[in-house]
Amino acid sequence: MLNDLYRKLVMEHAKYRRNHKRLEGENVRKVHYKNPTCGDVITLYIQLEGERINDVAFEGEGCSISMASSSMMTELIKNKDLNNVSIVRNEFEQLIRKGKQSNDDIDLGDAMSLRGVYRLRARHNCALMAWQALDKLLADVSAYKGVEK
């Protein structure tokens, strides 16, 4: 019964994507990312204010897992500082790669519904695609800030 609930939650996020839009404006950064294993694509937008993600959105197309995970990620990281985002990101990757978190005190919200993906090794990149896009975007932002100094 719990698996059915999780499956429904994943499908609901895939169909009714949260924060599925384009962001524009001051302090908005974006990155286009393609999952090399299956062709799913995402454009991720974040609006940074200092070390805080004030807003986040995405556009993209792909399988139910990648789109649901992208939707869930945006809910998890909106209005969070980058240190907190890094902790949540690492916990989510543990969930996908090992089927469990290393710290159960970290709330992954709806993203917990993707824990069964760990058994589907070929789908790991689908679930992690949005997070990998975020990694790339934040690395680009860090490099850009380094040039400004």
Side-chain angles (χ1 to χ4, degrees):
M1 184 145 95
L2 191 57
N3 284 339
D4 286 341
L5 176 65
Y6 283 160
R7 192 173 299 116
K8 286 178 184 176
L9 190 55
V10 169
M11 295 310 294
E12 193 239 333
H13 268 276
K15 187 174 181 179
Y16 303 106
R17 302 169 190 169
R18 279 49 155 203
N19 303 300
H20 189 253
K21 61 186 177 184
R22 180 182 307 226
L23 279 184
E24 296 179 359
E26 195 172 321
N27 299 324
V28 172
R29 304 282 192 258
K30 73 176 182 176
V31 66
H32 186 73
Y33 190 81
K34 182 176 181 179
N35 183 341
T37 58
C38 69
D40 293 356
V41 294
I42 184 175
T43 301
L44 181 66
Y45 304 88
I46 60 171
Q47 182 182 44
L48 286 171
E49 186 173 310
E51 296 292 309
R52 183 180 183 82
I53 296 176
N54 279 349
D55 203 359
V56 58
F58 75 102
E59 296 177 306
E61 291 302 323
C63 70
S64 297
I65 291 173
S66 68
M67 293 298 102
S69 182
S70 298
S71 173
M72 293 170 185
M73 182 195 78
T74 63
E75 289 190 318
L76 280 170
I77 68 171
K78 188 184 280 192
N79 296 314
K80 300 282 190 308
D81 67 79
L82 294 179
N83 288 332
N84 190 314
V85 168
S86 178
I87 291 166
V88 170
R89 186 250 181 271
N90 291 335
E91 288 301 314
F92 182 73
E93 184 163 7
Q94 288 293 310
L95 182 73
I96 296 304
R97 299 217 186 268
K98 299 190 174 172
K100 59 184 178 182
Q101 294 179 243
S102 58
N103 182 347
D104 290 331
D105 292 335
I106 305 299
D107 182 12
L108 294 178
D110 288 353
M112 283 298 296
S113 64
L114 292 167
R115 75 172 171 217
V117 172
Y118 88 95
R119 288 187 231 109
L120 309 168
R121 190 175 196 97
R123 304 305 294 273
H124 286 190
N125 281 338
C126 298
L128 294 170
M129 182 178 76
W131 295 95
Q132 292 165 347
L134 180 64
D135 291 344
K136 184 175 180 348
L137 182 54
L138 292 176
D140 291 348
V141 167
S142 293
Y144 179 74
K145 284 181 179 178
V147 170
E148 288 182 328
K149 291 180 182 178

mmCIF file of all heavy atoms in Angstrom, residues 1 5-6 9 25 36 39 43 60-61 67 96-97 99 105 112 115 122 126 129 131 142 147:
data_model
loop_
_atom_site.group_PDB
_atom_site.id
_atom_site.type_symbol
_atom_site.label_atom_id
_atom_site.label_comp_id
_atom_site.label_asym_id
_atom_site.label_seq_id
_atom_site.Cartn_x
_atom_site.Cartn_y
_atom_site.Cartn_z
ATOM 1 N N MET A 1 0.811 -1.189 0.000
ATOM 2 C CA MET A 1 0.000 0.000 0.000
ATOM 3 C C MET A 1 0.864 1.266 0.000
ATOM 4 O O MET A 1 0.554 2.219 -0.695
ATOM 5 C CB MET A 1 -0.933 -0.011 1.205
ATOM 6 C CG MET A 1 -1.859 1.173 1.178
ATOM 7 S SD MET A 1 -3.483 0.856 1.808
ATOM 8 C CE MET A 1 -3.329 1.378 3.476
ATOM 9 N N LEU A 5 1.122 4.461 -2.753
ATOM 10 C CA LEU A 5 1.080 5.873 -2.390
ATOM 11 C C LEU A 5 2.277 6.604 -2.984
ATOM 12 O O LEU A 5 2.130 7.684 -3.566
ATOM 13 C CB LEU A 5 1.060 6.035 -0.862
ATOM 14 C CG LEU A 5 1.108 7.471 -0.340
ATOM 15 C CD1 LEU A 5 -0.152 8.223 -0.755
ATOM 16 C CD2 LEU A 5 1.239 7.463 1.167
ATOM 17 N N TYR A 6 3.473 6.021 -2.849
ATOM 18 C CA TYR A 6 4.672 6.636 -3.404
ATOM 19 C C TYR A 6 4.581 6.755 -4.920
ATOM 20 O O TYR A 6 4.938 7.770 -5.504
ATOM 21 C CB TYR A 6 5.917 5.844 -3.018
ATOM 22 C CG TYR A 6 6.374 6.079 -1.593
ATOM 23 C CD1 TYR A 6 7.198 5.170 -0.959
ATOM 24 C CD2 TYR A 6 5.997 7.214 -0.885
ATOM 25 C CE1 TYR A 6 7.635 5.378 0.345
ATOM 26 C CE2 TYR A 6 6.430 7.435 0.414
ATOM 27 C CZ TYR A 6 7.239 6.511 1.021
ATOM 28 O OH TYR A 6 7.665 6.736 2.294
ATOM 29 N N LEU A 9 2.340 9.578 -5.817
ATOM 30 C CA LEU A 9 2.993 10.860 -5.542
ATOM 31 C C LEU A 9 3.990 11.213 -6.651
ATOM 32 O O LEU A 9 4.035 12.358 -7.112
ATOM 33 C CB LEU A 9 3.693 10.812 -4.183
ATOM 34 C CG LEU A 9 4.228 12.118 -3.628
ATOM 35 C CD1 LEU A 9 3.149 13.181 -3.542
ATOM 36 C CD2 LEU A 9 4.830 11.875 -2.250
ATOM 37 N N GLY A 25 14.936 37.894 -14.520
ATOM 38 C CA GLY A 25 15.128 38.995 -13.593
ATOM 39 C C GLY A 25 16.523 39.034 -13.018
ATOM 40 O O GLY A 25 17.413 38.277 -13.409
ATOM 41 N N PRO A 36 22.886 12.282 -20.040
ATOM 42 C CA PRO A 36 23.598 11.584 -21.106
ATOM 43 C C PRO A 36 23.137 10.149 -21.331
ATOM 44 O O PRO A 36 23.343 9.591 -22.394
ATOM 45 C CB PRO A 36 25.065 11.622 -20.642
ATOM 46 C CG PRO A 36 24.995 11.800 -19.164
ATOM 47 C CD PRO A 36 23.731 12.577 -18.892
ATOM 48 N N GLY A 39 18.643 11.081 -22.571
ATOM 49 C CA GLY A 39 18.187 12.198 -23.389
ATOM 50 C C GLY A 39 17.215 13.146 -22.718
ATOM 51 O O GLY A 39 16.783 14.116 -23.334
ATOM 52 N N THR A 43 16.208 22.780 -18.179
ATOM 53 C CA THR A 43 16.817 24.091 -17.983
ATOM 54 C C THR A 43 16.420 24.498 -16.576
ATOM 55 O O THR A 43 15.225 24.580 -16.259
ATOM 56 C CB THR A 43 16.328 25.117 -19.015
ATOM 57 O OG1 THR A 43 16.641 24.642 -20.326
ATOM 58 C CG2 THR A 43 17.009 26.472 -18.791
ATOM 59 N N GLY A 60 11.565 21.589 -18.914
ATOM 60 C CA GLY A 60 12.213 20.404 -19.430
ATOM 61 C C GLY A 60 11.233 19.333 -19.822
ATOM 62 O O GLY A 60 10.027 19.458 -19.601
ATOM 63 N N GLU A 61 11.792 18.296 -20.396
ATOM 64 C CA GLU A 61 11.013 17.134 -20.797
ATOM 65 C C GLU A 61 11.808 15.884 -20.488
ATOM 66 O O GLU A 61 13.035 15.868 -20.619
ATOM 67 C CB GLU A 61 10.684 17.182 -22.289
ATOM 68 C CG GLU A 61 9.710 18.267 -22.663
ATOM 69 C CD GLU A 61 8.367 18.189 -21.948
ATOM 70 O OE1 GLU A 61 7.857 17.064 -21.726
ATOM 71 O OE2 GLU A 61 7.833 19.244 -21.585
ATOM 72 N N MET A 67 11.214 14.164 -14.215
ATOM 73 C CA MET A 67 10.360 15.343 -14.063
ATOM 74 C C MET A 67 9.822 15.437 -12.627
ATOM 75 O O MET A 67 9.775 16.524 -12.054
ATOM 76 C CB MET A 67 9.222 15.314 -15.078
ATOM 77 C CG MET A 67 9.697 15.479 -16.524
ATOM 78 S SD MET A 67 10.521 17.064 -16.869
ATOM 79 C CE MET A 67 12.260 16.585 -16.862
ATOM 80 N N ILE A 96 18.980 7.699 -3.350
ATOM 81 C CA ILE A 96 18.891 7.121 -4.699
ATOM 82 C C ILE A 96 19.936 6.028 -4.900
ATOM 83 O O ILE A 96 19.643 4.970 -5.450
ATOM 84 C CB ILE A 96 19.050 8.219 -5.771
ATOM 85 C CG1 ILE A 96 17.894 9.225 -5.682
ATOM 86 C CG2 ILE A 96 19.152 7.611 -7.165
ATOM 87 C CD1 ILE A 96 16.502 8.623 -5.794
ATOM 88 N N ARG A 97 21.141 6.251 -4.469
ATOM 89 C CA ARG A 97 22.219 5.291 -4.737
ATOM 90 C C ARG A 97 22.222 4.098 -3.772
ATOM 91 O O ARG A 97 22.636 3.010 -4.123
ATOM 92 C CB ARG A 97 23.559 5.987 -4.707
ATOM 93 C CG ARG A 97 23.673 7.072 -5.774
ATOM 94 C CD ARG A 97 25.036 7.157 -6.361
ATOM 95 N NE ARG A 97 25.172 8.280 -7.277
ATOM 96 C CZ ARG A 97 24.961 8.191 -8.583
ATOM 97 N NH1 ARG A 97 24.591 7.054 -9.116
ATOM 98 N NH2 ARG A 97 25.118 9.255 -9.361
ATOM 99 N N GLY A 99 19.438 3.580 -1.248
ATOM 100 C CA GLY A 99 18.112 3.235 -0.750
ATOM 101 C C GLY A 99 17.829 3.724 0.648
ATOM 102 O O GLY A 99 16.772 3.427 1.217
ATOM 103 N N ASP A 105 17.426 12.583 10.077
ATOM 104 C CA ASP A 105 16.879 13.843 10.580
ATOM 105 C C ASP A 105 16.681 14.868 9.467
ATOM 106 O O ASP A 105 16.034 15.891 9.679
ATOM 107 C CB ASP A 105 17.792 14.441 11.653
ATOM 108 C CG ASP A 105 17.801 13.601 12.928
ATOM 109 O OD1 ASP A 105 16.803 12.885 13.174
ATOM 110 O OD2 ASP A 105 18.798 13.661 13.667
ATOM 111 N N MET A 112 11.175 11.520 -0.770
ATOM 112 C CA MET A 112 11.283 10.170 -0.192
ATOM 113 C C MET A 112 10.552 9.133 -1.042
ATOM 114 O O MET A 112 10.889 7.955 -1.024
ATOM 115 C CB MET A 112 10.718 10.149 1.231
ATOM 116 C CG MET A 112 11.633 10.755 2.268
ATOM 117 S SD MET A 112 13.208 9.890 2.427
ATOM 118 C CE MET A 112 12.672 8.292 3.013
ATOM 119 N N ARG A 115 12.646 6.681 -3.236
ATOM 120 C CA ARG A 115 13.665 5.803 -2.651
ATOM 121 C C ARG A 115 13.778 4.453 -3.346
ATOM 122 O O ARG A 115 14.834 3.839 -3.362
ATOM 123 C CB ARG A 115 13.471 5.636 -1.158
ATOM 124 C CG ARG A 115 12.340 4.750 -0.767
ATOM 125 C CD ARG A 115 12.364 4.515 0.736
ATOM 126 N NE ARG A 115 11.144 3.832 1.113
ATOM 127 C CZ ARG A 115 10.498 4.059 2.212
ATOM 128 N NH1 ARG A 115 10.949 4.952 3.070
ATOM 129 N NH2 ARG A 115 9.403 3.402 2.488
ATOM 130 N N ALA A 122 19.817 1.826 -13.642
ATOM 131 C CA ALA A 122 19.746 2.574 -14.903
ATOM 132 C C ALA A 122 18.942 3.866 -14.766
ATOM 133 O O ALA A 122 19.047 4.749 -15.615
ATOM 134 C CB ALA A 122 19.145 1.702 -16.003
ATOM 135 N N CYS A 126 18.299 9.561 -13.902
ATOM 136 C CA CYS A 126 17.004 10.232 -14.091
ATOM 137 C C CYS A 126 16.614 10.965 -12.813
ATOM 138 O O CYS A 126 16.212 12.127 -12.847
ATOM 139 C CB CYS A 126 15.927 9.217 -14.466
ATOM 140 S SG CYS A 126 16.229 8.340 -16.010
ATOM 141 N N MET A 129 19.138 13.910 -12.120
ATOM 142 C CA MET A 129 19.397 14.880 -13.183
ATOM 143 C C MET A 129 19.272 16.339 -12.717
ATOM 144 O O MET A 129 20.155 17.160 -12.962
ATOM 145 C CB MET A 129 18.461 14.641 -14.368
ATOM 146 C CG MET A 129 18.727 15.595 -15.523
ATOM 147 S SD MET A 129 17.683 15.317 -16.950
ATOM 148 C CE MET A 129 16.145 16.029 -16.395
ATOM 149 N N TRP A 131 19.484 17.558 -9.749
ATOM 150 C CA TRP A 131 20.527 17.842 -8.767
ATOM 151 C C TRP A 131 21.879 18.018 -9.454
ATOM 152 O O TRP A 131 22.680 18.864 -9.042
ATOM 153 C CB TRP A 131 20.586 16.733 -7.720
ATOM 154 C CG TRP A 131 19.348 16.675 -6.894
ATOM 155 C CD1 TRP A 131 18.262 15.870 -7.098
ATOM 156 C CD2 TRP A 131 19.044 17.478 -5.757
ATOM 157 N NE1 TRP A 131 17.314 16.121 -6.136
ATOM 158 C CE2 TRP A 131 17.763 17.100 -5.302
ATOM 159 C CE3 TRP A 131 19.737 18.474 -5.067
ATOM 160 C CZ2 TRP A 131 17.160 17.687 -4.195
ATOM 161 C CZ3 TRP A 131 19.140 19.048 -3.958
ATOM 162 C CH2 TRP A 131 17.868 18.663 -3.531
ATOM 163 N N SER A 142 29.944 29.901 -8.672
ATOM 164 C CA SER A 142 31.143 30.035 -7.844
ATOM 165 C C SER A 142 32.336 30.499 -8.675
ATOM 166 O O SER A 142 33.097 31.363 -8.254
ATOM 167 C CB SER A 142 31.488 28.710 -7.172
ATOM 168 O OG SER A 142 30.494 28.376 -6.236
ATOM 169 N N VAL A 147 35.887 35.182 -10.342
ATOM 170 C CA VAL A 147 36.418 36.102 -11.336
ATOM 171 C C VAL A 147 36.151 37.538 -10.918
ATOM 172 O O VAL A 147 36.950 38.434 -11.169
ATOM 173 C CB VAL A 147 35.785 35.815 -12.732
ATOM 174 C CG1 VAL A 147 36.115 36.903 -13.731
ATOM 175 C CG2 VAL A 147 36.237 34.456 -13.237
#
